[in-house]
Amino acid sequence: MPAQKIETGHNDVVHDVQMDYYGKRVATASSDTSIKIIGVSSNSATQPLATLTGHQGPVWQVAWAHPKFGSVLASCSYDGRVIIWKEGNPNEWAQAHVFHEHKSSVNSISWAPHEIGLCLACGSSDGTISVLTLQADGSWDTNRIDQAHPVGVTSVSWAPATAPGALVGSGLLEPVHKLVSGGCDNTVKVWKLFNGTWKMDCFPALQMHSDWVRDVAWAPNLGLPKSTIASASQDGTVVIWTVGKEGEQWEGRVLKDFKTPVWRVSWSLTGNLLAVADGDNNVTLWKEAVDGEWQQVLEVASCSVNAALVSDMCILVSSINFDPCQSLRQELSSVAVGVQFPFTKFVVLRFLEKIEDGLARARAAIKEASRSQSYTSEEEQTFIPRGPVYRNPYAFHQSHIEMVKRFKIWTYKEGEPPLVHQGPMSYIYGIEGHFIQEMEDGMSLINKFLASNPNEAHVFFLPFSIVNIRISFYKPHDFDRGPLNRVTLDYVNAVAEKYPYWNRSHGADHFMLSCHDWAPDISFGNPKLLQNLIRALCNANTSEGFQPVRDVPIPEINVPARQLNQPGLGLHTSKRRIFAFFAGGNHGHVRKFLFEQWEKDNEIQLYEHLPKHLNYFQMLGKSKFCLCPSGYEVASSRIVEAIRADCVPVVIKDNYSFPFSDVLDWSRFSIHVPVSKIPEIKTMLKGISPKEYEKLIQGVNSIKWHFTINRPAKPFDLIHMVLHSVWLRRLNIRLSY
């Protein structure tokens, strides 16, 4: 029979499709948050019957209940909710129950065998499995398996109601209450209901996979003397697990290493055929031979099938074509053979799923590099970070390799210059303009990080300029943050309404960058909306709401007007005659305290106004220690100026989050002096031995490249380091799908 195309009417990615018991209707789940019910027939005619709305995030799976309970459908979503739908009049659906106790995405649902009752298992990214059971009074009882897979449950499947070896439907035995689950901890676990409590029924957990378990399926049991489970994994393998008698150990056998992630497995009605869907978009059918070996009997390719081999089944496969001009276009291609209901699940490589898979692999590579004290790269490395200035040089090196290999950033195109897509290119806010320009310059070498389509992006850049907003909307001595907050909130709301990405993550994979003192204040415009936004800030003051785990501290640089970096005029250490030096305005309580204590000292040279005959950069180059006190804010260009002059920075600040401190050990190339210790500065610096000082200078030289601006950006330079800091924040979160 030729393939039958079904236009679903969804306007985003389709994640699941299931036929009802009689093979007359298809239910589809999509990222557009809706569910479609579509009528199908043997003459290729299709008819849209209903659209179910109620979820607030992508819908991952749908599942039809047994028709003995009426027309009932369940759905699960990224929004953490499970909705059970019931059809009243034909094609009129209502929500019979909404379960919203999960704290994260619900990834999988499965109806129990009808002998148990109307009972639904739900697996969530919060690590919990919930079992919902309809009671006689119409209410729903909830039983939980807490921490089933602590890092996330990916799949659940019920055991047959009949025990191995029992007669089907004999009614002589109590139905079996067992579940199998797969998780992000790479394990498969079997659960059994004991006296109203679910307990693990396999010790230890079944472990043959080396990566996430993507799907599990318990085989139907038509009186066979054993139980069989199939598990599919990100590692590319399918494992067949079997056990004979109750209480015996499960034994695992690798069906095949497919050399690509395996997404779904599903059994035929009789349990003698297994369908496997892999990452190369192949669906293969496998059958166990008499000698116990599994043999491939069919490959479903290009939505065609040999009817002679599967005359007792209906196979449902689906494909998604990407049209760059028309966003996503969904088409479901089905092949119906015979009159039985389908056994395969919908298979699709979801964009977010692929992104999270790549990040998981990056984390594993970084961890292995740290353990083995080595790195793995497909390309020649021109810069090798080594030495004590790095907290973990091998982990940092591998992380940078993984970033270059995988990291994709989407810069929103909305908005007009100068408020958006344009920023200052010089003075102390210059990094803002250079970063924005670098992120939007298709000719830049950094364009390897620029996503060609937002669906492939790991993070999303909000390219507004705090400096230009300040210039455009404010008069001198106007300090009201209201206009600034309104402009930035309007921009966020505009892209959130136009695209699904902000709402998908609640802003956790979005970032902005600015060195303006007011930049941190945008969060106060709508703290709830912006609570997850990654803020790359120079003014990284932890006492004013900067969160190092979420936010990115970046160095403030006084970018020269006609060049990118200050001149390097540092003398050899043996020729440096100035013990400690600072020149700058006497503003802010830290600098006032510093001047009060040391302005008249002969060895610590402080200048509020540097005499015209003295060159500032030459003075830095003649100094052993360069003082870097806070001004009105903690951010200051003095740190980078000291580094560029081969002068040891003496950072005099409280509550400051140091730039790139995820990978750099600042104690190896700088001195940190709390504000309360300003009277002791001279004693502290005098206590540094010549040997210790030389090590500090070596450290300064080692990290100088990380504080150098290049256009176009180059590996491990300042712009790359900023990107790496954002990359690390993205690695630290996992978005559910």
Side-chain angles (χ1 to χ4, degrees):
M1 184 175 180
Q4 178 181 350
K5 286 187 177 181
I6 303 175
E7 291 293 341
T8 67
H10 287 296
N11 55 26
D12 207 336
V13 177
V14 177
H15 296 293
D16 198 17
V17 57
Q18 295 290 331
M19 270 189 170
D20 68 358
Y21 186 87
Y22 301 107
K24 300 296 184 181
R25 294 183 294 182
V26 166
T28 61
S30 170
S31 272
D32 66 9
T33 74
S34 73
I35 300 156
K36 302 282 187 179
I37 310 296
I38 303 166
V40 296
S41 63
S42 58
N43 63 4
S44 298
T46 63
Q47 179 184 6
L49 301 177
T51 299
L52 312 185
T53 59
H55 285 293
Q56 298 174 358
V59 184
W60 300 140
Q61 284 190 5
V62 287
W64 295 91
H66 193 278
K68 69 178 286 185
F69 302 109
S71 190
V72 177
L73 183 73
S75 59
C76 64
S77 168
Y78 171 80
D79 64 12
R81 300 194 300 170
V82 175
I83 300 180
I84 297 174
W85 310 82
K86 187 170 181 62
E87 187 182 32
N89 296 325
N91 303 322
E92 294 182 1
W93 293 81
Q95 296 180 9
H97 181 63
V98 179
F99 181 73
H100 47 71
E101 293 182 13
H102 283 292
K103 299 177 181 178
S104 189
S105 172
V106 181
N107 303 317
S108 180
I109 49 176
S110 177
W111 287 108
H114 64 87
E115 295 92 338
I116 293 177
L118 195 57
C119 185
L120 184 72
C122 318
S124 171
S125 291
D126 64 13
T128 301
I129 297 172
S130 297
V131 180
L132 314 180
T133 305
L134 181 64
Q135 303 298 299
D137 63 358
S139 63
W140 289 84
D141 177 66
T142 303
N143 205 335
R144 297 170 61 91
I145 307 175
D146 291 321
Q147 297 297 297
H149 297 267
V151 291
V153 182
T154 58
S155 52
V156 289
S157 178
W158 286 87
T162 54
L167 294 176
V168 177
S170 65
L172 300 177
L173 300 171
E174 286 292 320
V176 174
H177 289 71
K178 284 189 177 183
L179 281 169
V180 61
S181 63
C184 300
D185 55 4
N186 310 343
T187 67
V188 174
K189 296 182 180 179
V190 178
W191 308 90
K192 184 176 181 180
L193 189 64
F194 290 90
N195 299 320
T197 302
W198 287 93
K199 297 182 179 180
M200 201 161 82
D201 195 43
C202 58
F203 297 91
L206 308 184
Q207 302 181 46
M208 284 185 66
H209 292 295
S210 60
D211 209 335
W212 290 7
V213 176
R214 287 298 181 183
D215 199 18
V216 290
W218 204 310
N221 184 354
L222 299 183
L224 296 176
K226 65 180 180 179
S227 292
T228 304
I229 294 170
S231 60
S233 172
Q234 177 73 28
D235 65 13
T237 64
V238 171
V239 175
I240 306 298
W241 306 90
T242 56
V243 68
K245 297 179 182 179
E246 182 80 12
E248 293 182 350
Q249 292 292 318
W250 288 83
E251 296 182 358
R253 187 173 190 173
V254 176
L255 173 77
K256 180 184 176 181
D257 185 353
F258 288 81
K259 307 299 183 183
T260 186
V262 183
W263 304 105
R264 296 291 173 89
V265 285
S266 190
W267 295 96
S268 65
L269 290 175
T270 57
N272 65 334
L273 281 176
L274 177 69
V276 178
D278 64 44
D280 288 334
N281 299 324
N282 296 318
V283 178
T284 51
L285 301 185
W286 299 78
K287 186 173 183 178
E288 186 179 19
V290 177
D291 61 359
E293 294 293 326
W294 286 83
Q295 302 172 348
Q296 181 178 326
V297 296
L298 182 66
E299 180 172 356
V300 182
S302 302
C303 298
S304 63
V305 66
N306 185 336
L309 291 175
V310 287
S311 58
D312 65 337
M313 305 177 182
C314 171
I315 300 174
L316 190 64
V317 239
S318 65
S319 62
I320 292 181
N321 298 321
F322 178 68
D323 184 337
C325 298
Q326 300 181 17
S327 186
L328 290 175
R329 178 163 48 91
Q330 286 72 45
E331 294 177 347
L332 298 182
S333 302
S334 67
V335 180
V337 184
V339 295
Q340 302 283 345
F341 58 93
F343 65 92
T344 61
K345 296 179 180 179
F346 174 80
V347 183
V348 63
L349 287 175
R350 298 187 289 262
F351 283 109
L352 183 56
E353 190 170 14
K354 291 175 67 176
I355 287 171
E356 292 300 327
D357 291 342
L359 292 175
R361 293 181 179 278
R363 296 185 194 101
I366 296 167
K367 184 177 181 180
E368 175 59 23
S370 177
R371 184 197 67 79
S372 64
Q373 298 289 282
S374 62
Y375 69 90
T376 303
S377 176
E378 299 172 357
E379 299 180 358
E380 182 180 356
Q381 298 297 298
T382 58
F383 182 94
I384 308 295
R386 294 292 182 267
V389 295
Y390 301 103
R391 296 185 182 278
N392 189 324
Y394 295 98
F396 171 42
H397 191 186
Q398 191 67 48
S399 179
H400 194 278
I401 291 170
E402 297 297 322
M403 178 185 76
V404 173
K405 178 181 178 181
R406 305 175 188 275
F407 200 29
K408 295 297 180 184
I409 303 166
W410 178 259
T411 300
Y412 283 112
K413 314 304 180 187
E414 285 66 30
E416 298 293 335
L419 303 185
V420 187
H421 309 298
Q422 193 177 92
M425 305 294 288
S426 60
Y427 191 48
I428 59 174
Y429 305 137
I431 184 63
E432 183 176 299
H434 283 285
F435 188 85
I436 291 174
Q437 190 178 85
E438 193 79 16
M439 295 307 299
E440 300 202 355
D441 185 0
M443 300 303 293
S444 169
L445 291 180
I446 210 170
N447 66 2
K448 70 181 77 174
F449 297 114
L450 306 185
S452 60
N453 183 282
N455 287 309
E456 68 179 20
H458 296 85
V459 296
F460 300 82
F461 179 49
L462 304 171
F464 48 69
S465 168
I466 301 298
V467 175
N468 285 355
I469 294 173
R470 173 76 171 84
I471 294 172
S472 300
F473 285 89
Y474 287 84
K475 296 179 180 180
H477 309 296
D478 183 358
F479 302 104
D480 178 18
R481 304 299 201 266
L484 171 67
N485 291 337
R486 285 191 290 273
V487 172
T488 54
L489 284 176
D490 284 348
Y491 192 84
V492 170
N493 285 323
V495 297
E497 290 176 6
K498 187 173 181 179
Y499 305 101
Y501 311 109
W502 178 279
N503 294 325
R504 179 183 69 183
S505 67
H506 301 290
D509 55 357
H510 287 60
F511 77 103
M512 53 77 66
L513 180 143
S514 179
C515 263
H516 197 280
D517 294 347
W518 289 13
D521 296 342
I522 67 167
S523 296
F524 302 131
N526 190 328
K528 186 175 182 180
L529 176 67
L530 302 177
Q531 62 181 342
N532 299 315
L533 173 66
I534 301 170
R535 304 175 304 166
L537 304 172
C538 291
N539 193 18
N541 190 332
T542 57
S543 70
E544 297 178 356
F546 185 90
Q547 299 182 25
V549 174
R550 177 199 66 193
D551 298 325
V552 172
I554 60 175
E556 184 174 289
I557 299 180
N558 194 349
V559 182
R562 287 179 291 277
Q563 58 190 54
L564 294 175
N565 301 285
Q566 73 186 52
L569 302 178
L571 300 178
H572 189 273
T573 54
S574 62
K575 297 180 179 181
R576 295 178 181 247
R577 300 293 181 251
I578 301 175
F579 178 67
F581 168 76
F582 170 75
N586 186 1
H587 53 73
H589 73 280
V590 176
R591 293 187 184 183
K592 289 180 179 179
F593 189 19
L594 179 67
F595 273 87
E596 288 173 1
Q597 293 292 318
W598 299 104
E599 187 174 15
K600 297 179 180 180
D601 190 88
N602 294 327
E603 293 184 287
I604 298 180
Q605 297 188 22
L606 304 181
Y607 297 89
E608 184 173 2
H609 302 287
L610 192 66
K612 292 183 179 181
H613 68 278
L614 296 179
N615 181 287
Y616 176 70
F617 297 111
Q618 288 181 345
M619 292 293 287
L620 291 173
K622 294 177 181 179
S623 304
K624 293 182 62 177
F625 297 100
C626 293
L627 306 186
C628 310
S630 296
Y632 287 125
E633 303 291 349
V634 294
S636 170
S637 62
R638 299 302 192 281
I639 296 177
V640 175
E641 291 169 353
I643 291 172
R644 295 292 302 169
D646 299 323
C647 181
V648 176
V650 180
V651 183
I652 310 170
K653 304 175 188 289
D654 289 336
N655 308 309
Y656 182 56
S657 184
F658 287 79
F660 316 142
S661 54
D662 302 294
V663 296
L664 298 181
D665 183 351
W666 279 74
S667 69
R668 300 289 186 168
F669 57 90
S670 70
I671 306 296
H672 180 215
V673 178
V675 175
S676 62
K677 299 291 186 179
I678 285 178
E680 304 171 31
I681 282 182
K682 191 170 183 178
T683 302
M684 295 171 64
L685 299 182
K686 290 284 188 179
I688 298 173
S689 69
K691 185 176 181 180
E692 290 173 330
Y693 178 76
E694 286 299 325
K695 289 182 178 179
L696 289 171
I697 288 295
Q698 291 173 8
V700 170
N701 286 320
S702 297
I703 54 86
K704 186 187 297 186
W705 179 252
H706 300 320
F707 294 86
T708 301
I709 300 177
N710 291 294
R711 296 297 310 276
K714 297 179 181 180
F716 294 98
D717 71 357
L718 188 140
I719 292 180
H720 267 243
M721 291 293 286
V722 171
L723 287 179
H724 183 260
S725 296
V726 176
W727 158 254
L728 288 180
R729 270 62 179 177
R730 183 62 178 86
L731 277 178
N732 284 338
I733 62 173
R734 186 175 70 85
L735 302 182
S736 300
Y737 43 83

